[in-house]
Amino acid sequence: MTPDIPLPREADPCGPAPRHRTVGVRVGAGKGAVMVGGGAPVVVQSMTNTDTADIDATVRQCAALARAGSEIIRITVDREEAAAAVPHIRDRLVKMGVISPLVGDFHYNGHTLLANHPACAEALDKYRINPGNVGFGGKKDRQFSAIVEQAAKHGKAVRIGANWGSLDQELLTALMNANAQSEKPLDAGAVTREAMARSAIWSAKRAEEIGLPQNRIILSAKVSAVQGLVTVYQMLAARCDYALHLGLTEAGMGSKGIVASAAAMGVLLQQGIGDTIRVSLTPEPGGDRTVEVTVAQELLQTMGFRTFVPLVAACPGCGRTTSTVFQELARDIQNHIRDEMPGWKTRYPGVEALNVAVMGCIVNGPGESKHADIGISLPGTGETPAAPVFIDGKKALTLRGPAIADEFKALVAGYIEKRFGAGAAR
C-alpha cells in the first residue's frame, strides 16, 4: 500500500482556501443527517468518555451532548461488548428524540467487530479509523480494506484520522530514511508532518479504489502542538479536496486546553480550513463533558461563522465597578439563556441571533448597550443608583432600587417573546 517515497517536503504554499471543501459528506440519515463540507456550515461534534458497553451511561451522555449542541457524537467501539451495545444505544436515543449521527471509533480490531456485529455496522452513521493502527505488516491493507468494504456495503461515511501519537511507522521510517539521504534534510517534525499528510491522503485514495466514494470520506491529521496542527492542515488543504475534521488532540485541561484549541483552530478556520471541529478537552474528575461542545460553539460564534446562542456582552470590571451586581447579572443571564435554548429554538425561531449587554459603569455602558438588542448600564462606584435600559438602540426606561437584576431579566424575557414569539412580525 506504500507508494514510492520521494524526498519529504514541508507544507505547500497555501493561501486562504475556500470556506469549505467542495466535496460534501452526508453523515446520518433522515432528519438527523448532517452535511460536512460542500458549502455547509462548520459542524460541531464531541465524543463520549463512558464505557460504551454501559448502555445507560452512554445513552445519558450522548443525550447530554446532543442537548448541548453536539451535531455529531462519537463513541468508542473497542471490544465485542461495546459493539453489541451500539444498536441498543441507538434505539434508546431515538426513543428519546435524540437523532444526532453516531460515529464508531475503531482502533486495531475494527474489521473484526464490524464483521461480527452487523447490527452495530448498520446502527452507526460513520466509522472512524486510524491508518496508523488499523493493521500492521501484511495485514494492514487487508484489514483496512475490510472496514472500508463494510462502510461501502452499509452506505456509511468514514473518517480516516492520522494521529501524531499513532502514526504509520512503516511510512514514517521510509520518509525518515529518504530525508537522511537528502542534501538538505528537514527536521524530524517536518518529516513527521509530511508522513501524517501522506498517510491520510494515500489511505483515502485507497478507500476510493476499494469502492468508497469521495463524498463519504473525511480526513483528519491531529497533533498536540498548535503550530504543528496549523502546518499539517495547510498541507492537507493544499493537496486534496476531501472534507476535513479539525481538532487539536490532547489539548489538555481547563484554560490551557481551551486557549490551545482556539489558537490552532482559529487560525485554520480563518483560512477557510475545517468542515467539522471537536475541542478535545480533558475534563476535571467527574466534570461535565458538554463543556467541549460549548467551547466549540463559542469559537465558531465569536469568529462569526455560526450562531448558536444569544451573545451576552459584559465589561471585565475595574475600580469603577466594585459592585458585583453586573457580574452576577451577566452570569445569570448567560446561564439562563443556555439553559433555555433547547426549548427556545422551537418556540422562538431566530432567537440565537439576540445580543444582550450587561455593563458596569457609565464609561462604555450606555454605548455598548445601544449596540445590543437589549442592554443595561448598571451604576458603577460613585454613580447615581440608576440603570438605563436600551432596547433596539434607544433608551427605553431606567431601573432603580434593589430589584434591578430581576426586572432586567423580565425585560429580556419580554423582548424575546415580542421579537421572536408566535405573534411577532416576520
Side-chain angles (χ1 to χ4, degrees):
M1 183 171 164
T2 303
D4 294 336
I5 306 290
L7 293 179
R9 55 198 170 111
E10 187 59 289
D12 298 47
C14 178
R19 168 53 50 201
H20 303 285
R21 317 311 286 164
T22 59
V23 178
V25 179
R26 186 179 178 89
V27 181
K31 293 182 179 179
V34 173
M35 182 63 72
V36 177
V42 180
V43 173
V44 171
Q45 62 178 278
S46 185
M47 183 177 183
T48 61
N49 59 0
T50 58
D51 178 358
T52 305
D54 185 339
I55 296 172
D56 290 343
T58 303
V59 167
R60 283 195 301 271
Q61 193 169 83
C62 285
L65 291 170
R67 284 195 300 270
S70 186
E71 294 162 302
I72 296 176
I73 300 170
R74 182 157 44 112
I75 59 178
T76 297
V77 187
D78 57 347
R79 63 193 197 279
E80 300 286 341
E81 293 84 356
V86 169
H88 300 290
I89 292 168
R90 162 63 76 195
D91 290 345
R92 291 265 298 274
L93 289 170
V94 169
K95 290 178 181 178
M96 296 170 65
V98 177
I99 56 176
S100 301
L102 282 183
V103 180
D105 194 73
F106 294 99
H107 296 274
Y108 305 108
N109 60 353
H111 60 292
T112 299
L113 296 176
L114 288 168
N116 291 348
H117 297 272
C120 169
E122 181 58 39
L124 293 169
D125 296 295
K126 186 175 76 170
Y127 309 154
R128 191 273 187 177
I129 56 177
N130 184 339
N133 61 30
V134 71
F136 304 96
K139 297 180 179 180
K140 179 168 62 176
D141 189 57
R142 185 167 66 253
Q143 294 177 181
F144 176 85
S145 298
I147 297 176
V148 172
E149 287 167 359
Q150 287 283 346
K153 173 183 175 182
H154 293 283
K156 307 300 182 180
V158 169
R159 172 159 72 95
I160 296 173
N163 194 291
W164 185 267
S166 51
L167 189 55
D168 183 332
Q169 291 302 302
E170 181 182 349
L171 172 60
L172 180 59
T173 299
L175 284 177
M176 287 291 187
N177 289 339
N179 185 61
Q181 297 171 17
S182 172
E183 292 183 1
K184 296 181 179 180
L186 302 173
D187 64 66
V191 178
T192 302
R193 289 189 289 273
E194 178 68 27
M196 291 186 67
R198 293 195 187 193
S199 177
I201 294 173
W202 288 345
S203 297
K205 295 299 183 185
R206 176 60 182 143
E208 288 193 71
E209 292 173 2
I210 295 167
L212 195 67
Q214 188 179 9
N215 65 359
R216 289 190 195 158
I217 299 173
I218 298 171
L219 298 189
S220 67
K222 291 191 174 184
V223 303
S224 57
V226 169
Q227 297 296 344
L229 190 84
V230 170
T231 300
V232 76
Y233 272 93
Q234 288 174 336
M235 296 165 74
L236 285 176
R239 298 182 192 182
C240 72
D241 198 34
Y242 295 104
L244 299 178
H245 169 105
L246 195 59
L248 186 76
T249 191
E250 289 93 37
M253 299 181 74
S255 60
K256 185 269 180 188
I258 293 171
V259 170
S261 293
M265 290 193 283
V267 169
L268 291 166
L269 290 167
Q270 188 64 31
Q271 294 178 355
I273 299 172
D275 301 292
T276 178
I277 66 171
R278 183 203 171 191
V279 177
S280 301
L281 297 179
T282 303
E284 297 286 345
D288 187 352
R289 190 65 162 182
T290 65
V291 170
E292 63 179 43
V293 178
T294 301
V295 173
Q297 289 180 331
E298 290 178 348
L299 172 60
L300 292 174
Q301 184 154 342
T302 54
M303 294 190 72
F305 299 142
R306 294 282 305 271
T307 303
F308 297 98
V309 297
L311 290 176
V312 178
C315 68
C318 65
R320 297 184 183 91
T321 56
T322 53
S323 169
T324 61
V325 173
F326 85 95
Q327 297 167 334
E328 293 164 354
L329 181 57
R331 178 199 61 200
D332 291 349
I333 291 290
Q334 185 70 75
N335 289 343
H336 178 65
I337 285 172
R338 281 210 168 269
D339 290 342
E340 294 295 327
M341 273 307 293
W344 281 358
K345 285 182 178 179
T346 301
R347 300 198 307 275
Y348 303 119
V351 69
E352 61 271 12
L354 178 72
N355 286 304
V356 181
V358 180
M359 303 301 290
C361 80
I362 199 172
V363 175
N364 293 314
E368 190 72 39
S369 297
K370 288 178 183 178
H371 290 307
D373 295 314
I374 179 168
I376 186 170
S377 180
L378 292 159
T381 303
E383 293 180 21
T384 302
V389 175
F390 297 83
I391 297 177
D392 293 329
K394 298 179 181 179
K395 183 177 177 180
L397 70 162
T398 299
L399 300 179
R400 294 182 174 84
I404 287 177
D406 290 336
E407 291 172 5
F408 182 68
K409 290 178 190 177
L411 288 171
V412 171
Y415 181 88
I416 291 172
E417 177 63 40
K418 181 179 178 181
R419 179 174 169 185
F420 302 103
R426 300 295 181 194

